[in-house]
Amino acid sequence: MVASSVLGFPRIGAHREIKKVVEAYWAGKTNAEEVTKVAAEVKKTNWTELKQRGVTYIPSGDFSLYDHVLDHSAAFNAIPKRYQGQGLSALDTYFAMARGRQADGVDVPAGEMKKWFDSNYHFLVPELDDTVEFKLNFNKPLEEFKEAKALGITTRPVVLGPITYLAIAKATKEAKPDFDPITLLPKLLPVYKQLLNELKTAGAEWVQIDEPILVTDKGANYESQYGSAYPELVSAGPKLLLTTFYGRLESNVNFIAKLPIAGLHIDLDRAPEQLEKTIAAVSSTPIVLSLGVVSGRSVWKTDFATATKYGEKAVSALGQDRVIISTSSTLLHIPVTLASEDKLTAEQKDWFSFALEKASEVATIAAVVSGSQDAAIAAALEANRTSIAKRRDFEKNSDDSVRKRVASVTPDQYERKSPFTTRLEAQKVLGLPKFPTTTIGSFPQTKEIRQARAKLGKGEITSEEYEKFIEKEIESAVRFQERIGLDLLVHGEPERNDMVQYFGERLSGFVFTQNAWVQSYGSRYVRPPIIVSDVSRKEPMTVRWSKYAQSLTSKPMKGMLTGPVTILNWSFPRVDISREIQAQQLALALRDEVIDLEAAGIKAIQVDEPALREGLPLRRADWNSYLNWAGNSFKLSTAGVGDHTQTHSHFCYSDFDDIFPQIQRLDADVISIEASKSDLKLINTFKHYGYSNNIGPGVYDVHSPRVPGNVEIQERLKAMLAYLDQSLLYVNPDCGLKTRGWKETEASLINLVEAARWARQNH
Ligand code: GLN
Ligand code: ZN
């Protein structure tokens, strides 16, 4: 029989139980016992549901109250010194590491968060140095294994692999220069062995050990570490299924197949081309091959015909007992269940499958590949065939005019009419002083704004009333900016619930869910829109507000749009056409908006691309192709305007070293970047490469309520001026101000304006 498996499951609970209880705990409204109780209920429901759906290998130990990497650090005693000896309980120490703690005389900042591989999930970066004393504080996989067993469910515990754990860690500030966490492997292994051994004693037959670092370029550097560590780990007990996901193993498969592991998992959703090579690599070994055929990253129904084909290929080479049909990765990145959606049409519901539905899919595909004659399986197979065929029909009849338009884009549409220096002259019509001051777009999203939006949603106020309210908000934002003396104004984005959702709701081709929450970090969940068909603009989306804002003032008003790459990367994309085509469709819709804004008298237009960098593929060999189409779609969206119109873009990060030429190629007249927390190396990058357009490196951090002093901002500017051409420098914060309060926003911006005045007088 071919077995089925799920590599991990969303933690939130079908009704957001975990988010709610954890936030209540932070607010002091509930206690640790209640958190444990709710967590136990959610785990029980998850395990029971997976079992009912016929999944052979059900994960345990993957649950988390905040982040699984942080769980690992806490369990292995990799707890930075600043959190120790503070008199905190284990749970409070854990949350202090996650989000900092400022109470009762304790004042510690949170650990650093980073994106987990190429997903929108953030993990807490382990901080290590030679002084760390690994020991098993808590065997979480064991506890959860036992917890499930007590419910009569045998699970396959999940453990983050030692090499990936060390590879994603960073050195503490106290570490020796050039300290590399991987050198801690010999110290870490005994603790892993203890953990595995305890699992074996408790009756675990298999353990899933996650090593996603193997699908990155870095993976190949660890060949010798894999070679030495895994025989030791294997000697400790249960059979190990080494899992790799989010990408392809490439030549790493050669050394991995030589390890004494009992199973290997590969991602066939992201890299179906690696199937044959992997079969060949394991065929003369006893290794069981786990095939990730059901996507853990997309919300679309699996095409059983394709999945079955892969399964049968593996079975014919290895035999049924050496093949597992699995999700491609953990299901953490997709919502819990379609059953919670009652606003989607029946047709739309039939396209998708969320985590629980994917669990049924792996079980069904495994049965099909096993040659099951069961009538229910035959019916499921038939139903899948019908629904995939219907979806294909829908795709065929999608918006033909959009496709024709994409196909007829000409090279000149990607380029502005004149080079930057000519545009710079033409843009003098904006009347900006030297060191122009501006903000990134949003102003505080106050309680009143959220309430008005909620009331509109519930029909408690009319759209006329709502629009009047928004106009009032815009007017006060404009008056505020005039009063404190900013130069290039914004309308403040009060009408936007979210920078992607706002546009998704106004474009054709998107659908929205009610409960499809996906973890971004900790208790923060997002509900990405789903792109289901060709994307086009029905009517102008922002012109009304920008035009209104401009009518209130003689200062230039900046139009504000979310870029094509960011809309795409923060949505669930289609899988029937490439992301490149989807980005182009979005770009054309935005291009129309940009041109309409220009026609409405808006002289500066910002197209935000904060997600451009995070979309970078895991393998460098794939970077160029991504950066090409991503950059092109930005250019296509912005290049339709005249020389006198100033285009802006904004990026919320400060890593430009390796993508610099692409940033220059975007040819935005002004870019703003996050810079307040990085050293001047960042600015030096721009000098080093000779960045030629206007640039506004953020002069203060917007993620904290702290108000930067005027002199502090002056110092920042002074330091920047040592590197950047003063005639090209803009003065702005790091990012939008929507999460801030008005009090600190006002104080900070007054100081920013003051510092720019100082720069004008002294340069
Ligand atoms: N214009 C957006 C804002 O100010 C940009 C947000 C972002 O970069 N994430 O809110
Ligand atoms: Zn930003």
Side-chain angles (χ1 to χ4, degrees):
M1 274 284 280
V2 174
S4 60
S5 106
V6 164
L7 298 192
F9 201 77
R11 302 139 182 176
I12 186 172
H15 306 286
R16 290 198 279 166
E17 295 89 331
I18 297 300
K19 176 189 170 70
K20 287 176 197 156
V21 78
V22 161
E23 289 180 351
Y25 179 75
W26 293 339
K29 292 188 188 132
T30 191
N31 54 31
E33 289 68 50
E34 183 64 17
V35 175
T36 310
K37 199 179 117 214
V38 174
E41 281 159 13
V42 168
K43 283 182 267 184
K44 178 178 172 188
T45 308
N46 293 351
W47 290 323
T48 314
E49 297 263 14
L50 292 182
K51 183 160 181 177
Q52 278 168 1
R53 283 168 167 76
V55 176
T56 322
Y57 295 113
I58 295 168
S60 62
D62 60 317
F63 177 82
S64 181
L65 290 173
Y66 201 96
D67 163 42
H68 58 274
V69 181
L70 180 65
D71 289 332
H72 210 67
S73 296
F76 279 27
N77 202 41
I79 301 173
K81 300 217 170 46
R82 62 180 180 278
Y83 305 105
Q84 295 176 19
Q86 301 272 23
L88 300 175
S89 70
L91 186 62
D92 287 341
T93 305
Y94 173 82
F95 284 138
M97 288 164 77
R99 48 201 300 274
R101 189 178 176 101
Q102 205 166 28
D104 314 323
V106 180
D107 188 355
V108 280
E112 186 195 351
M113 263 188 332
K114 258 202 177 145
K115 292 215 180 233
W116 175 247
F117 294 84
D118 63 349
S119 76
N120 207 359
Y121 174 82
H122 302 69
F123 71 98
L124 275 134
V125 182
E127 289 173 47
L128 301 172
D129 63 33
D130 277 327
T131 66
V132 63
E133 290 191 25
F134 294 123
K135 63 174 188 204
L136 205 52
N137 284 334
F138 183 65
N139 193 336
K140 186 164 161 288
L142 176 70
E143 295 309 319
E144 289 190 11
F145 178 78
K146 287 191 193 155
E147 206 177 324
K149 201 142 180 216
L151 300 166
I153 299 172
T154 305
T155 54
R156 186 175 66 190
V158 182
V159 179
L160 177 58
I163 300 178
T164 296
Y165 177 70
L166 294 173
I168 61 176
K170 66 171 185 183
T172 63
K173 285 203 193 78
E174 296 77 35
K176 292 196 300 265
D178 298 331
F179 167 78
D180 183 347
I182 195 72
T183 55
L184 296 172
L185 185 59
K187 244 171 115 169
L188 182 58
L189 282 180
V191 192
Y192 265 90
K193 284 165 73 175
Q194 182 193 345
L195 177 144
L196 292 170
N197 199 269
E198 289 178 7
L199 279 169
K200 186 186 164 104
T201 311
E205 186 196 356
W206 281 92
V207 168
Q208 169 186 328
I209 190 153
D210 290 343
E211 290 284 12
I213 199 72
L214 284 163
V215 307
T216 68
D217 292 337
K218 222 176 159 186
N221 303 341
Y222 300 121
E223 177 170 355
S224 74
Q225 283 86 357
Y226 277 100
S228 60
Y230 272 78
E232 281 208 51
L233 295 178
V234 167
S235 74
K239 293 198 256 183
L240 295 186
L241 173 78
L242 184 152
T243 55
T244 66
F245 37 83
Y246 307 141
R248 52 186 194 267
L249 275 169
E250 291 188 2
S251 60
N252 297 341
V253 73
N254 300 326
F255 68 80
I256 293 302
K258 293 200 188 93
L259 301 178
I261 49 176
L264 170 64
H265 172 88
I266 52 170
D267 187 332
L268 295 179
D269 171 46
R270 281 292 171 82
E273 71 279 7
Q274 62 180 343
L275 177 60
E276 278 175 44
K277 219 174 137 190
T278 315
I279 292 177
V282 301
S283 64
S284 60
T285 73
I287 292 176
V288 169
L289 193 56
S290 167
L291 310 176
V293 292
V294 169
S295 177
R297 297 294 294 271
S298 106
V299 291
W300 296 91
K301 208 169 245 189
T302 307
D303 180 354
F304 286 2
T306 314
T308 307
K309 207 176 69 209
Y310 295 148
E312 283 166 353
K313 194 171 219 168
V315 165
S316 74
L318 306 171
Q320 288 202 0
D321 294 340
R322 281 183 60 199
V323 175
I324 300 172
I325 295 294
S326 178
T327 58
S328 65
S329 67
T330 169
L331 299 173
L332 181 67
H333 310 295
I334 58 175
V336 178
T337 176
L338 261 179
S340 314
E341 302 300 326
D342 49 32
K343 292 249 166 76
L344 295 175
T345 64
E347 181 188 32
Q348 290 165 346
K349 269 196 165 184
D350 192 41
W351 295 334
F352 306 130
S353 107
F354 295 172
L356 279 177
E357 293 78 36
K358 303 259 180 190
S360 301
E361 290 184 349
V362 289
T364 306
I365 298 164
V368 174
V369 178
S370 301
S372 163
Q373 298 299 314
D374 190 303
I377 297 297
L381 194 56
E382 187 49 37
N384 179 269
R385 200 173 294 140
T386 313
S387 92
I388 297 288
K390 273 202 216 142
R391 170 70 201 168
R392 295 284 173 266
D393 266 351
F394 176 88
E395 286 156 6
K396 258 189 252 133
N397 299 324
S398 224
D399 195 340
D400 214 33
S401 60
V402 176
R403 297 176 186 199
K404 285 205 180 101
R405 191 170 172 211
V406 167
S408 63
V409 169
T410 51
D412 58 293
Q413 286 179 289
Y414 294 102
E415 305 302 333
R416 296 288 293 273
K417 293 172 186 66
S418 312
F420 174 70
T421 41
T422 312
R423 298 187 326 247
L424 198 57
E425 267 311 297
Q427 288 162 20
K428 291 206 168 127
V429 296
L430 272 81
L432 293 172
K434 226 170 126 182
F435 303 111
T437 54
T438 189
T439 60
I440 308 305
S442 58
F443 279 130
Q445 283 264 333
T446 57
K447 203 168 83 218
E448 291 72 36
I449 296 181
R450 286 196 302 264
Q451 270 169 359
R453 193 179 301 132
K455 279 189 188 157
L456 176 72
K458 288 190 210 130
E460 287 169 22
I461 52 173
T462 63
S463 23
E464 289 75 44
E465 285 168 319
Y466 177 73
E467 302 212 343
K468 275 275 156 301
F469 171 83
I470 295 292
E471 285 188 351
K472 231 178 64 246
E473 286 294 321
I474 292 176
E475 180 168 10
S476 78
V478 170
R479 296 297 167 241
F480 161 72
Q481 295 170 87
E482 287 181 323
R483 189 168 70 239
I484 68 164
L486 282 156
D487 304 307
L488 179 53
L489 310 196
V490 298
H491 76 288
E493 306 179 25
E495 78 288 11
R496 301 192 189 170
N497 39 12
D498 169 88
M499 65 186 288
V500 169
Q501 192 179 344
Y502 180 82
F503 290 93
E505 282 170 354
R506 280 156 186 80
L507 291 162
S508 312
F510 283 79
V511 302
F512 289 84
T513 59
Q514 290 159 284
N515 291 297
W517 298 99
V518 177
Q519 192 173 19
S520 172
Y521 62 88
S523 72
R524 190 163 156 74
Y525 282 76
V526 294
R527 224 171 11 170
I530 310 175
I531 306 181
V532 297
S533 61
D534 294 313
V535 172
S536 63
R537 192 184 71 145
K538 291 175 259 193
E539 57 191 5
M541 304 178 283
T542 65
V543 176
R544 178 207 187 300
W545 301 120
S546 290
K547 201 170 153 181
Y548 173 72
Q550 182 67 83
S551 76
L552 299 170
T553 179
S554 56
K555 289 208 170 175
M557 179 63 54
K558 190 158 61 159
M560 197 60 59
L561 306 172
T562 304
V565 186
T566 298
I567 295 183
L568 180 68
N569 282 344
W570 289 350
S571 301
F572 282 115
R574 286 164 74 175
V575 290
D576 59 306
I577 58 171
S578 67
R579 291 200 305 149
E580 173 174 1
I581 301 268
Q582 293 172 76
Q584 270 183 310
Q585 295 184 351
L586 283 159
L588 287 169
L590 289 163
R591 183 183 175 95
D592 295 343
E593 185 75 11
V594 168
I595 291 171
D596 285 350
L597 281 169
E598 178 183 57
I602 304 300
K603 297 191 179 71
I605 301 162
Q606 178 172 313
V607 177
D608 292 323
E609 283 294 19
L612 180 81
R613 189 175 211 293
E614 77 181 40
L616 276 175
L618 291 170
R619 295 277 189 185
R620 264 202 190 242
D622 304 335
W623 279 24
N624 263 347
S625 127
Y626 166 78
L627 286 168
N628 250 323
W629 65 252
N632 279 348
S633 64
F634 174 87
K635 287 166 74 90
L636 184 59
S637 67
T638 50
V641 289
D643 289 350
H644 56 281
T645 298
Q646 186 178 59
T647 60
H648 289 236
S649 190
H650 166 69
F651 310 98
C652 297
Y653 42 83
S654 51
D655 268 356
F656 289 95
D657 244 342
D658 43 14
I659 57 167
F660 188 85
Q662 294 291 337
I663 298 297
Q664 175 78 65
R665 192 175 75 93
L666 299 180
D667 200 20
D669 292 309
V670 187
I671 59 169
S672 58
I673 61 178
E674 178 177 313
S676 73
K677 276 179 297 182
S678 41
D679 46 28
L680 290 161
K681 213 180 104 218
L682 161 68
I683 314 286
N684 198 22
T685 302
F686 283 82
K687 177 188 160 84
H688 173 80
Y689 289 101
Y691 187 71
S692 59
N693 300 15
N694 294 301
I695 177 168
V699 293
Y700 78 88
D701 178 18
V702 302
H703 299 103
S704 134
R706 191 178 162 271
V707 175
N710 159 23
V711 176
E712 181 182 331
I713 301 178
Q714 283 179 21
E715 291 302 322
R716 206 68 215 162
L717 289 175
K718 233 189 264 177
M720 287 171 186
L721 284 166
Y723 293 90
L724 298 170
D725 181 346
Q726 47 169 289
S727 68
L728 299 177
L729 190 63
Y730 275 59
V731 183
N732 49 258
D734 265 356
C735 190
L737 298 160
K738 58 178 161 254
T739 57
R740 293 273 58 86
W742 267 111
K743 207 165 139 241
E744 70 260 20
T745 296
E746 178 158 355
S748 304
L749 291 176
I750 286 176
N751 291 344
L752 178 145
V753 170
E754 204 44 52
R757 287 199 183 119
W758 164 87
R760 272 169 220 145
Q761 275 154 20
N762 292 281
H763 288 87

PDB file of all heavy atoms in Angstrom, residues 440 610 650-652 674 734-736, ligand 2:
ATOM      1  N   ILE A 440       5.775  58.465   3.359  1.00  0.00           N
ATOM      2  CA  ILE A 440       5.671  57.293   2.483  1.00  0.00           C
ATOM      3  C   ILE A 440       4.232  57.011   2.063  1.00  0.00           C
ATOM      4  O   ILE A 440       3.983  56.189   1.187  1.00  0.00           O
ATOM      5  CB  ILE A 440       6.341  56.071   3.154  1.00  0.00           C
ATOM      6  CG1 ILE A 440       7.761  56.416   3.598  1.00  0.00           C
ATOM      7  CG2 ILE A 440       6.389  54.861   2.246  1.00  0.00           C
ATOM      8  CD1 ILE A 440       8.663  56.958   2.492  1.00  0.00           C
ATOM      9  N   PRO A 610       7.256  47.114  -1.822  1.00  0.00           N
ATOM     10  CA  PRO A 610       7.957  46.569  -0.660  1.00  0.00           C
ATOM     11  C   PRO A 610       8.209  45.062  -0.759  1.00  0.00           C
ATOM     12  O   PRO A 610       9.075  44.554  -0.065  1.00  0.00           O
ATOM     13  CB  PRO A 610       7.020  46.895   0.510  1.00  0.00           C
ATOM     14  CG  PRO A 610       5.685  47.074  -0.107  1.00  0.00           C
ATOM     15  CD  PRO A 610       5.942  47.666  -1.458  1.00  0.00           C
ATOM     16  N   HIS A 650       8.865  52.789  -3.441  1.00  0.00           N
ATOM     17  CA  HIS A 650       9.253  52.642  -2.042  1.00  0.00           C
ATOM     18  C   HIS A 650       9.541  51.176  -1.748  1.00  0.00           C
ATOM     19  O   HIS A 650       8.837  50.285  -2.194  1.00  0.00           O
ATOM     20  CB  HIS A 650       8.126  53.168  -1.141  1.00  0.00           C
ATOM     21  CG  HIS A 650       8.292  52.763   0.283  1.00  0.00           C
ATOM     22  ND1 HIS A 650       9.298  53.269   1.073  1.00  0.00           N
ATOM     23  CD2 HIS A 650       7.622  51.877   1.048  1.00  0.00           C
ATOM     24  CE1 HIS A 650       9.217  52.709   2.271  1.00  0.00           C
ATOM     25  NE2 HIS A 650       8.211  51.858   2.279  1.00  0.00           N
ATOM     26  N   PHE A 651      10.609  50.954  -0.982  1.00  0.00           N
ATOM     27  CA  PHE A 651      11.004  49.588  -0.604  1.00  0.00           C
ATOM     28  C   PHE A 651      11.227  49.543   0.899  1.00  0.00           C
ATOM     29  O   PHE A 651      11.977  50.361   1.433  1.00  0.00           O
ATOM     30  CB  PHE A 651      12.298  49.194  -1.316  1.00  0.00           C
ATOM     31  CG  PHE A 651      12.258  49.456  -2.795  1.00  0.00           C
ATOM     32  CD1 PHE A 651      12.817  50.610  -3.313  1.00  0.00           C
ATOM     33  CD2 PHE A 651      11.627  48.581  -3.648  1.00  0.00           C
ATOM     34  CE1 PHE A 651      12.757  50.884  -4.669  1.00  0.00           C
ATOM     35  CE2 PHE A 651      11.554  48.845  -4.998  1.00  0.00           C
ATOM     36  CZ  PHE A 651      12.131  50.000  -5.521  1.00  0.00           C
ATOM     37  N   CYS A 652      10.595  48.563   1.569  1.00  0.00           N
ATOM     38  CA  CYS A 652      10.695  48.494   3.033  1.00  0.00           C
ATOM     39  C   CYS A 652      11.847  47.640   3.493  1.00  0.00           C
ATOM     40  O   CYS A 652      11.664  46.800   4.357  1.00  0.00           O
ATOM     41  CB  CYS A 652       9.493  47.810   3.619  1.00  0.00           C
ATOM     42  SG  CYS A 652       7.990  48.606   3.353  1.00  0.00           S
ATOM     43  N   GLU A 674      14.112  51.877   3.366  1.00  0.00           N
ATOM     44  CA  GLU A 674      14.276  51.804   4.809  1.00  0.00           C
ATOM     45  C   GLU A 674      15.766  51.914   5.111  1.00  0.00           C
ATOM     46  O   GLU A 674      16.568  51.195   4.544  1.00  0.00           O
ATOM     47  CB  GLU A 674      13.735  50.465   5.313  1.00  0.00           C
ATOM     48  CG  GLU A 674      13.899  50.284   6.790  1.00  0.00           C
ATOM     49  CD  GLU A 674      13.303  48.981   7.280  1.00  0.00           C
ATOM     50  OE1 GLU A 674      12.168  48.659   6.902  1.00  0.00           O
ATOM     51  OE2 GLU A 674      14.002  48.289   8.022  1.00  0.00           O
ATOM     52  N   ASP A 734      11.227  56.009   7.303  1.00  0.00           N
ATOM     53  CA  ASP A 734      11.500  54.680   6.740  1.00  0.00           C
ATOM     54  C   ASP A 734      10.334  54.087   5.958  1.00  0.00           C
ATOM     55  O   ASP A 734      10.517  53.340   5.011  1.00  0.00           O
ATOM     56  CB  ASP A 734      11.773  53.695   7.890  1.00  0.00           C
ATOM     57  CG  ASP A 734      13.260  53.547   8.174  1.00  0.00           C
ATOM     58  OD1 ASP A 734      14.065  54.142   7.448  1.00  0.00           O
ATOM     59  OD2 ASP A 734      13.602  52.807   9.122  1.00  0.00           O
ATOM     60  N   CYS A 735       9.129  54.346   6.442  1.00  0.00           N
ATOM     61  CA  CYS A 735       7.975  53.648   5.853  1.00  0.00           C
ATOM     62  C   CYS A 735       6.716  54.435   6.196  1.00  0.00           C
ATOM     63  O   CYS A 735       6.791  55.518   6.782  1.00  0.00           O
ATOM     64  CB  CYS A 735       7.917  52.229   6.406  1.00  0.00           C
ATOM     65  SG  CYS A 735       6.728  51.147   5.565  1.00  0.00           S
ATOM     66  N   GLY A 736       5.559  53.891   5.825  1.00  0.00           N
ATOM     67  CA  GLY A 736       4.274  54.538   6.103  1.00  0.00           C
ATOM     68  C   GLY A 736       3.997  54.598   7.602  1.00  0.00           C
ATOM     69  O   GLY A 736       4.597  53.874   8.393  1.00  0.00           O
TER      70      GLY A 736
HETATM   71 ZN    ZN B   2       7.551  50.516   3.642  1.00  0.00          ZN
END
